[in-house]
Amino acid sequence: MSEESIISLKNVNKWFGDFHVLQDVNLEVKKKERIVVCGPSGSGKSTMIRCINRLEEHQEGSIVVDGIELTGNLKNIDNVRKEVGMVFQQFNLFPHLSVKENITLAPIWVKKMPKAEAEELAMRQLEIVKIPEQANKYPGQLSGGQQQRVAIARSLAMNPNIMLFDEPTSALDPEMIKEVLDVMVDLANGGMTMIVVTHEMGFAKTVADRMVFMDEGKIVEEASPDKFFNNPESDRTKLFLSQILHQ
Amino acid sequence: MNEMNEVRKPPVATTGIIGWLRINLFFNWTNSLITLFVIYCLYQFIPWILDWTIFSADFKYNYLGEQITNQEMCSRNLDPENGGACWAVIYVRFYQFIYGFYPKVEVWRVNVAYVMLAFALLPLLYAKLPYRKYFLYFTYIFPVIAYFLLNGGLGFAEVSTNKWGGLLVTLVLGCTGIALAFPIGIMLALGRRSKLPVISMMCTLFIEFIRGVPLITLLFFGMVMLPLFLPEGIDMDGLVRVLVAVTLFQSAYMAEVIRGGLQAIPPGQYEAAKSLGMSYWRMNLLIILPQAIRISIPPIVNTSIGLFKDTTLVIIVGILDLLGIGRGTLADTNWLGLSYEIYFFVSLVFFIFTFGMSRYSLYLEKKLKTGINMGAD
């Protein structure tokens, strides 16, 4: 099983000061697998996926992404980041650059792609997220949903093997959530390996291969969506589900 | 109901000139009183200052029609009741104000440098300049050209910097100080925020030390101490020593200004850049600094204007900048007592430059804001 894994977390521990935010986290993700991570706030789910592209450093255990172990080695970190795309809750678009420039920047400077080719690529990515007409606007002129779709396009332009989503719809107005989720469903259907931290249980039911439930820095339950929603094992999961499904 | 939907114009008294006057100048009775008082003051002051500086002033000849060669011939000294400013002192000493004691035969070189400076600044000032790229190349090599032009070498006769003076020295100090301090300041600001403790500590120490010392002390340091650090036999030019001091001083301030801008950049920008695989330098050059500098434009221009005026302090180490030439002229028995005219002229020249800088910063802020909503959410 472990040879097939594209992401492998073994006994990962992390502390923020004295706060033990990740406690012996183990997670194996196979190629093309779609994982949805949920759990109450402060449970360490964002921290976990931020460790996967080294935005956070873990202190114990090992994280191997696509055969590369994440250590202090800067070269490895750069290589992992080229493999792994990330979408943030707050979009984090570059406000001083146009939408097109946001997307072409990394291909041009990190992958040394010629400008014309990068622009063509950007337009293709914008078609995929269904907003090619916004190419020359600035992020501040777009709605939240559009910004998040640009952020997805920006990540995809680096042609990653893995996409991490850190609560991609939590900062959006309700009527914009769907347009972002639609893009993510397309992506999932296209065979992208995805780890998604979200509270959108509808999305989880449609696309997830596996649900991961975290609480207090630990993975409490891992199960197929069917089992997770209909027949969860732990009481903590039951309580959590009853709270978010009946709000 | 239909009439309700018609476009209703705002009441006449709140728009146009009358509306503006009402809202801004005569909003209530205190406001009106202040307006009237200010108008009265302007009415008293403006005719007087115009009369003194222009209508009753001597420019080259006094009221008897003689060409003025010393202060006794000024109209205001011949006839204290009627004379205005005696600008003849500026006229006679104009060369020194602009070039110092630069040899007259070689002065064309300074003029060429002045004109080239204007061309070098053009592409920095106007982003839409045609062929801007080529102008920018020129801007980059301008300092080298200017060095050989002004100082000599490459076939030009050498003109020692102790012959430089007036506006020439002011501009050389101001421009070089600002231009060098900007990149050094950026490096110091990045260094101070670095995660590497040695670099961060060194930058912090440097900044805090330089900021904690008055510029005058640094100038003395440059004049007296700097030569001690150099190997024997190498003599550092006086103006260069001062330049080093001015640049160090300015870069410490610039660093703090830019650090302020850096701190305003949300952590998400760093994370997004990193997650795209950008290295530290790419992230800073492409993502962080463009935004940080944009935020810092007003304080950057503010400290630059401050430096431009502070260059007058070089007078205490014996370098005659614009103000220094003015004071030298005042000490001349021929022109004793013309301090109003001389200080007015020096102030005016400084004002023209600093006001230009300030307007430019406003233009820049406006230009960079269009189309970009930095506070987007």
Side-chain angles (χ1 to χ4, degrees), chain B residues 17 137 169 206 324 349 358:
Chain B
I17 295 174
Y137 290 141
V169 162
F206 177 87
V349 175
S358 132

Side-chain angles (χ1 to χ4, degrees), chain B residues 232-296:
Chain B
E232 215 167 321
I234 294 183
D235 189 25
M236 208 175 180
D237 186 278
L239 192 66
V240 175
R241 284 185 239 166
V242 167
L243 252 179
V244 170
V246 164
T247 306
L248 292 182
F249 180 78
Q250 180 68 359
S251 38
Y253 276 89
M254 201 59 95
E256 284 303 275
V257 163
I258 290 170
R259 190 169 69 97
L262 288 173
Q263 265 162 354
I265 306 297
Q269 293 289 309
Y270 291 88
E271 291 175 358
K274 282 184 197 164
S275 75
L276 289 168
M278 289 192 193
S279 64
Y280 175 83
W281 289 111
R282 288 228 176 85
M283 171 176 80
N284 276 301
L285 284 176
L286 299 170
I287 307 296
I288 307 301
L289 284 172
Q291 296 183 59
I293 290 171
R294 194 166 294 182
I295 301 171
S296 321

Side-chain angles (χ1 to χ4, degrees), chain B residues 175-207:
Chain B
C175 293
T176 325
I178 292 167
L180 287 179
F182 192 58
I184 299 176
I186 289 176
M187 297 309 292
L188 283 171
L190 288 177
R192 187 167 185 171
R193 285 168 60 86
S194 166
K195 277 193 197 134
L196 308 171
V198 179
I199 291 181
S200 147
M201 217 170 67
M202 272 167 44
C203 292
T204 310
L205 261 176
F206 177 87
I207 293 170

Side-chain angles (χ1 to χ4, degrees), chain A residues 22-36:
Chain A
L22 293 181
Q23 305 180 16
D24 286 321
V25 170
N26 286 289
L27 183 68
E28 301 285 328
V29 181
K30 278 177 270 175
K31 220 167 201 161
K32 301 200 177 178
E33 201 175 16
R34 279 101 54 168
I35 309 275
V36 168

Side-chain angles (χ1 to χ4, degrees), chain A:
Chain A
M1 164 156 181
S2 146
E3 303 106 74
E4 295 173 58
S5 303
I6 192 165
I7 302 172
S8 156
L9 280 71
K10 287 207 180 88
N11 296 321
V12 172
N13 278 281
K14 176 170 178 62
W15 288 261
F16 285 132
D18 284 334
F19 179 56
H20 199 170
V21 61
L22 293 181
Q23 305 180 16
D24 286 321
V25 170
N26 286 289
L27 183 68
E28 301 285 328
V29 181
K30 278 177 270 175
K31 220 167 201 161
K32 301 200 177 178
E33 201 175 16
R34 279 101 54 168
I35 309 275
V36 168
V37 183
C38 60
S41 60
S43 60
K45 48 197 194 307
S46 285
T47 309
M48 181 182 74
I49 69 164
R50 286 158 62 87
C51 280
I52 294 173
N53 69 349
R54 196 70 168 191
L55 288 183
E56 301 284 356
E57 249 174 76
H58 61 287
Q59 284 138 315
E60 279 177 11
S62 80
I63 300 178
V64 179
V65 179
D66 210 9
I68 307 166
E69 170 147 24
L70 279 171
T71 56
N73 185 329
L74 292 176
K75 191 106 194 137
N76 283 358
I77 295 174
D78 280 350
N79 287 335
V80 165
R81 284 181 181 158
K82 279 177 203 162
E83 298 291 320
V84 181
M86 185 157 193
V87 174
F88 301 86
Q89 183 177 357
Q90 298 295 341
F91 330 135
N92 295 344
L93 293 179
F94 307 131
H96 61 302
L97 300 175
S98 72
V99 164
K100 200 201 269 177
E101 289 164 333
N102 260 279
I103 301 172
T104 56
L105 194 72
I108 290 175
W109 292 93
V110 180
K111 285 198 157 172
K112 313 281 177 212
M113 192 181 278
K115 196 173 174 223
E117 196 183 319
E119 282 182 354
E120 212 176 287
L121 170 72
M123 290 316 293
R124 271 205 309 280
Q125 298 301 343
L126 283 173
E127 304 264 351
I128 291 174
V129 299
K130 302 177 193 107
I131 36 172
E133 72 283 359
Q134 311 288 358
N136 294 314
K137 287 199 183 159
Y138 283 88
Q141 298 168 301
L142 304 183
S143 73
Q146 290 170 328
Q147 290 193 51
Q148 191 60 297
R149 285 188 279 160
V150 173
I152 294 173
R154 180 176 69 178
S155 280
L156 291 179
M158 289 298 281
N159 196 21
N161 291 326
I162 301 160
M163 286 287 287
L164 306 174
F165 292 85
D166 188 3
E167 306 205 25
T169 56
S170 301
L172 295 176
D173 291 339
E175 71 263 38
M176 293 170 185
I177 291 176
K178 190 174 175 295
E179 62 187 54
V180 172
L181 290 181
D182 284 348
V183 168
M184 289 168 62
V185 170
D186 288 349
L187 203 56
N189 292 338
M192 176 68 76
T193 311
M194 291 163 74
I195 302 185
V196 184
V197 173
T198 185
H199 295 129
E200 293 298 325
M201 289 304 136
F203 170 80
K205 281 175 191 165
T206 355
V207 305
D209 294 317
R210 190 154 36 116
M211 298 293 299
V212 171
F213 176 68
M214 289 184 75
D215 188 31
E216 293 180 341
K218 295 188 198 96
I219 292 183
V220 176
E221 186 154 357
E222 259 185 272
S224 68
D226 184 39
K227 179 154 186 296
F228 183 81
F229 287 109
N230 299 322
N231 195 11
E233 268 169 26
S234 99
D235 291 339
R236 185 65 191 91
T237 315
K238 283 175 195 157
L239 179 66
F240 176 77
L241 285 174
S242 72
Q243 277 163 348
I244 64 163
L245 293 176
H246 296 108
Q247 59 187 338

Side-chain angles (χ1 to χ4, degrees), chain B residues 52 56-92 333-339 341-342:
Chain B
W52 188 78
S56 306
D58 305 336
F59 289 94
K60 190 173 173 187
Y61 306 98
N62 63 17
Y63 74 103
L64 300 171
E66 300 160 322
Q67 186 166 347
I68 300 170
T69 52
N70 60 53
Q71 48 95 11
E72 283 164 16
M73 296 173 73
C74 289
S75 300
R76 77 170 160 107
N77 287 339
L78 294 171
D79 178 10
E81 294 292 299
N82 294 316
C86 185
W87 299 120
V89 58
I90 310 295
Y91 176 79
V92 173
T333 44
N334 278 333
W335 301 110
L336 276 178
L338 294 184
S339 44
E341 286 84 349
I342 286 169

